[in-house]
Amino acid sequence: MRRVELLKYHDYISFIIDKLLERLCGLYRKAEDELTRKAIKHVIHILEEEKRNIWFSTVCKKVFNGCKFGITDLDKVVVVNGQIKALIEYKWRDEDFDRAIPVNAFQFITLQELSKLSGVPLYYVIEIGEYRDRWFRVAKINPYKKYRVKRCGNGDARDTYTIVNIDHTELMNELEFRSWLKEVMTNGKH
């Protein structure tokens, strides 16, 4: 379900998150070891953050009522020795892609503009579940290129997508990905 659809059900979703948090807090109190408590606390923080994100989006929708507006996020900003080295949008998909990678157009265009204005490279990193071990498809986004945009998908997935050609990506196993990441973060090249 798209976030804009979630906003219609803000109160109900908050209610469900609160119920989940109650159960997690109960598990937290019963946890017998520190590692389990830390793991449960981490999940609690993730749910609390999502609840705040939905609230914030709901408030913005009311404040900007009648205006065309959008809100997006960026998954990773990698900083090494005080220098921003990369902007990374990290995704997960069950299956690899055949010819192209569809990504949310609004977010893509916004992050591409951020990369252009900042001079910091933008990468889409997609972890592919199909291969069992950790495999990653990595796309370096050209901040000046005009990418194809199209409306596609079914049901909740129906949206406007930017299409990234799979020929402009690299498929890497975990070892190759770690090596790539180190190269990008230390030299800023790739």
Side-chain angles (χ1 to χ4, degrees), residues 1-6 68-69 71-72 91 93 102-109 148-163:
M1 183 177 289
R2 297 172 52 213
R3 183 168 296 273
V4 74
E5 297 297 319
L6 288 176
K68 185 176 179 181
F69 86 100
I71 299 172
T72 191
K91 303 289 186 192
R93 297 290 186 270
V103 294
N104 179 279
F106 173 77
Q107 182 181 47
F108 181 91
I109 292 165
R148 188 166 62 105
V149 174
K150 81 182 233 185
R151 187 139 177 90
C152 57
N154 297 313
D156 290 340
R158 182 124 181 102
D159 207 343
T160 305
Y161 294 93
T162 296
I163 308 300

Side-chain angles (χ1 to χ4, degrees), residues 11 30-31 58 73 78 98 110 113 125 136 148 166 173 175 181:
D11 291 336
K30 293 177 185 175
T58 303
D73 66 346
V78 182
D98 290 329
T110 303
E113 183 67 14
V125 175
F136 303 87
R148 188 166 62 105
I166 204 160
N173 64 31
L175 186 61
L181 193 59

Side-chain angles (χ1 to χ4, degrees), residues 18-181:
D18 286 339
K19 290 291 182 192
L20 290 169
L21 288 170
E22 283 177 25
R23 289 184 181 178
L24 284 168
C25 287
L27 289 172
Y28 179 82
R29 286 188 295 275
K30 293 177 185 175
E32 295 182 11
D33 63 274
E34 188 61 26
L35 185 57
T36 301
R37 280 189 291 279
K38 283 183 179 183
I40 294 170
K41 192 69 168 171
H42 178 71
V43 174
I44 287 171
H45 287 302
I46 291 169
L47 283 171
E48 287 172 340
E49 182 177 358
E50 184 57 24
K51 185 176 171 185
R52 286 189 299 275
N53 286 337
I54 292 171
W55 175 85
F56 182 78
S57 296
T58 303
V59 169
C60 286
K61 186 174 182 182
K62 289 176 183 174
V63 168
F64 298 111
N65 190 18
C67 298
K68 185 176 179 181
F69 86 100
I71 299 172
T72 191
D73 66 346
L74 174 61
D75 290 329
K76 314 287 181 219
V77 177
V78 182
V79 181
V80 178
N81 295 326
Q83 186 178 16
I84 299 174
K85 294 289 190 170
L87 308 173
I88 297 177
E89 186 59 28
Y90 192 94
K91 303 289 186 192
W92 190 88
R93 297 290 186 270
D94 287 328
E95 299 175 354
D96 200 358
F97 304 90
D98 290 329
R99 297 180 305 267
I101 301 170
V103 294
N104 179 279
F106 173 77
Q107 182 181 47
F108 181 91
I109 292 165
T110 303
L111 297 180
Q112 184 185 31
E113 183 67 14
L114 179 62
S115 175
K116 182 168 50 173
L117 292 171
S118 68
V120 177
L122 170 63
Y123 300 92
Y124 269 71
V125 175
I126 300 119
E127 186 175 346
I128 309 294
E130 170 182 353
Y131 302 121
R132 305 240 191 269
D133 295 328
R134 288 184 183 259
W135 282 81
F136 303 87
R137 189 158 293 283
V138 178
K140 182 176 184 181
I141 304 306
N142 180 336
Y144 299 97
K145 180 179 178 183
K146 188 147 180 98
Y147 289 81
R148 188 166 62 105
V149 174
K150 81 182 233 185
R151 187 139 177 90
C152 57
N154 297 313
D156 290 340
R158 182 124 181 102
D159 207 343
T160 305
Y161 294 93
T162 296
I163 308 300
V164 178
N165 188 323
I166 204 160
D167 295 335
H168 300 122
T169 68
E170 292 182 57
L171 183 62
M172 305 173 196
N173 64 31
E174 186 174 0
L175 186 61
E176 293 166 328
F177 178 73
R178 287 173 184 245
S179 177
W180 169 84
L181 193 59

